[in-house]
Amino acid sequence: MPARTSSTQMPVKGLERFKLNTYRPPGFLGFWDSTVAELAAIAPEIDIVTVQAPDDGLQLQRLVYTSFGGVRIHGYLLRPVSGRSRPLVVHAHGYEDRYELQIEWARLGLNVLGFDARGAGRSAAAVSVSEFGYLLTGIESPATSILRGAVADFLQSVQVAMELLEGDFGTLAFYGFSFGGALALMAAAMSRDADFVVLGQPTFGWTEERRRLGLGGSALQLRQYVEKFRWRHDEAMETLRYFDTLNFAPLIRAPALVGIGLDDDVVPSRTVLALVNHMRCPLEVRLLPVSHSDDPLETRWQAFHDEWLGYLSSRLPADFGDEARQVRTLLGHSSPG
């Protein structure tokens, strides 16, 4: 787990008004230390279910492996078959969704491991999900929350990729969008393995504000739950403090690129803007018009993907994170140079 630091984080220039005070539970660090230690004792026991060649020069392995609590997780490893060392990307999926094969990434020369977190997609049978929604599964305490296991699933997936590649890879990137972004962020905070962290509209930050503003997804499920079971409000909110990405953000050490859709009814942009203002690592932010929508402007996200994939194909600029380039817009009028 990364070393703790007490240095004061400064708001991202131009986004200062979204800096807010946070409350990290006293037992937060101990809880996650014990979780990571327990996971480290679990052998992944990898089964390679199938091996395919989806494209010339690529190998696809469908996997099942053991994660936290003995849960079996389904994933895949897609890699170029050429002998030279290549970057590695580990990713998950959206909320209550499943992974998609990222063949285009592999065609760019990247190793890619994707997985379905417990209770989702191909790993759905591993855990019984609450009728009130994925987020509310095990909400009674941090120890029973499904999110604890889902973060562990990301960390274990990293170890599986390392084992299958026999350590022969270059830059290791943790990537995720929305729910997957939250898992990547929390995993990066708990790990020293990430060299680069890429987050698109990561959720689970500023829980109170998400519950107030979010019109869909986990935010809506949470609001409906606490309205129906008012006596469980304090218990639920206290549990979710252990998974509020605001509390993980200062622990990330690797350089991070964060995309933020300004118009979003599912993961309100102000919750992501608040999150980046708590990150202390070398950081760059890309502002986009929309996310989680059917708006044609969603296509602007391709410029974000082209940027981070380009960095993996070459390298991060020497001035990455410098103030002059820290915040840039991808609103259809300009793009990163």
Side-chain angles (χ1 to χ4, degrees):
M1 187 171 178
R4 281 69 167 180
T5 173
S6 59
S7 61
T8 302
Q9 65 259 38
M10 299 297 291
V12 176
K13 189 170 181 62
L15 306 178
E16 293 88 350
R17 69 190 181 94
F18 296 101
K19 181 76 162 58
L20 71 152
N21 294 325
T22 60
Y23 168 72
R24 180 185 288 168
F28 178 90
L29 295 175
F31 170 78
W32 282 106
D33 277 344
S34 64
T35 299
V36 171
E38 187 174 338
L39 177 65
I42 298 173
E45 299 176 341
I46 306 165
D47 288 333
I48 300 175
V49 180
T50 62
V51 179
Q52 301 168 288
D55 203 349
D56 288 345
L58 299 181
Q59 182 188 77
L60 170 64
Q61 296 172 314
R62 301 279 187 175
L63 315 169
V64 182
Y65 47 91
T66 303
S67 184
F68 190 78
V71 170
R72 296 290 281 175
I73 297 301
H74 290 251
Y76 77 92
L77 177 64
L78 185 59
R79 53 178 163 177
V81 294
S82 66
R84 67 187 182 88
S85 182
R86 296 174 181 273
L88 166 64
V89 183
V90 178
H91 73 95
H93 50 82
Y95 188 65
E96 297 181 330
D97 203 351
R98 59 173 55 200
Y99 71 70
E100 296 182 6
L101 288 177
Q102 299 297 337
I103 293 178
E104 291 302 322
W105 300 357
R107 286 174 178 159
L108 292 174
L110 307 180
N111 298 303
V112 186
L113 187 140
F115 71 98
D116 287 341
R118 62 190 59 210
R122 303 160 189 81
S123 304
V127 176
S128 178
V129 173
S130 168
E131 63 180 300
F132 303 109
Y134 190 93
L135 179 73
L136 285 310
T137 305
I139 194 65
E140 295 77 16
S141 76
T144 57
S145 172
I146 196 170
L147 296 182
R148 182 191 194 196
V151 175
D153 295 341
F154 198 110
L155 291 168
Q156 191 74 324
S157 297
V158 172
Q159 298 306 309
V160 166
M162 289 179 169
E163 181 174 332
L164 290 174
L165 294 171
E166 300 180 330
D168 186 19
F169 56 88
T171 299
L172 170 53
F174 288 21
Y175 168 82
F177 188 92
S178 190
F179 172 76
L183 295 188
L185 188 158
M186 290 188 276
M190 295 297 112
S191 170
R192 294 180 180 272
D193 293 323
D195 299 310
F196 186 36
V197 181
V198 183
L199 309 171
Q201 206 74 1
T203 190
F204 299 153
W206 197 357
T207 301
E208 295 85 352
E209 192 73 349
R210 285 182 54 252
R211 191 189 76 183
R212 186 177 73 86
L213 295 177
L215 300 180
S218 63
L220 178 60
Q221 292 173 348
L222 176 60
R223 184 164 67 249
Q224 292 172 334
Y225 179 82
V226 297
E227 287 175 354
K228 183 173 184 177
F229 304 106
R230 295 185 182 276
W231 62 93
R232 297 178 182 171
H233 171 276
D234 291 351
E235 174 187 83
M237 297 305 288
E238 182 61 22
T239 291
L240 292 176
R241 291 188 191 280
Y242 285 79
F243 307 98
D244 191 319
T245 45
L246 283 177
N247 289 328
F248 292 82
L251 301 176
I252 296 174
R253 292 156 46 114
L257 179 67
V258 183
I260 305 176
L262 297 178
D263 186 0
D264 190 322
D265 291 334
V266 177
V267 181
S269 59
R270 63 189 290 113
T271 66
V272 189
L273 290 163
L275 187 154
V276 299
N277 273 319
H278 286 79
M279 298 176 78
R280 300 171 180 171
C281 59
L283 170 69
E284 294 197 4
V285 176
R286 301 293 176 257
L287 302 177
L288 297 105
V290 293
S291 50
H292 289 106
S293 77
D294 295 325
D295 193 302
L297 290 173
E298 289 280 355
T299 58
R300 294 303 302 157
W301 280 94
Q302 188 58 51
F304 175 78
H305 295 306
D306 290 345
E307 181 179 3
W308 72 263
L309 288 167
Y311 292 152
L312 286 183
S313 297
S314 54
R315 64 182 60 188
L316 282 179
D319 60 348
F320 185 89
D322 285 1
E323 184 178 304
R325 54 173 291 143
Q326 191 173 37
V327 180
R328 296 186 179 183
T329 62
L330 300 176
L331 303 178
H333 307 294
S334 61
S335 60

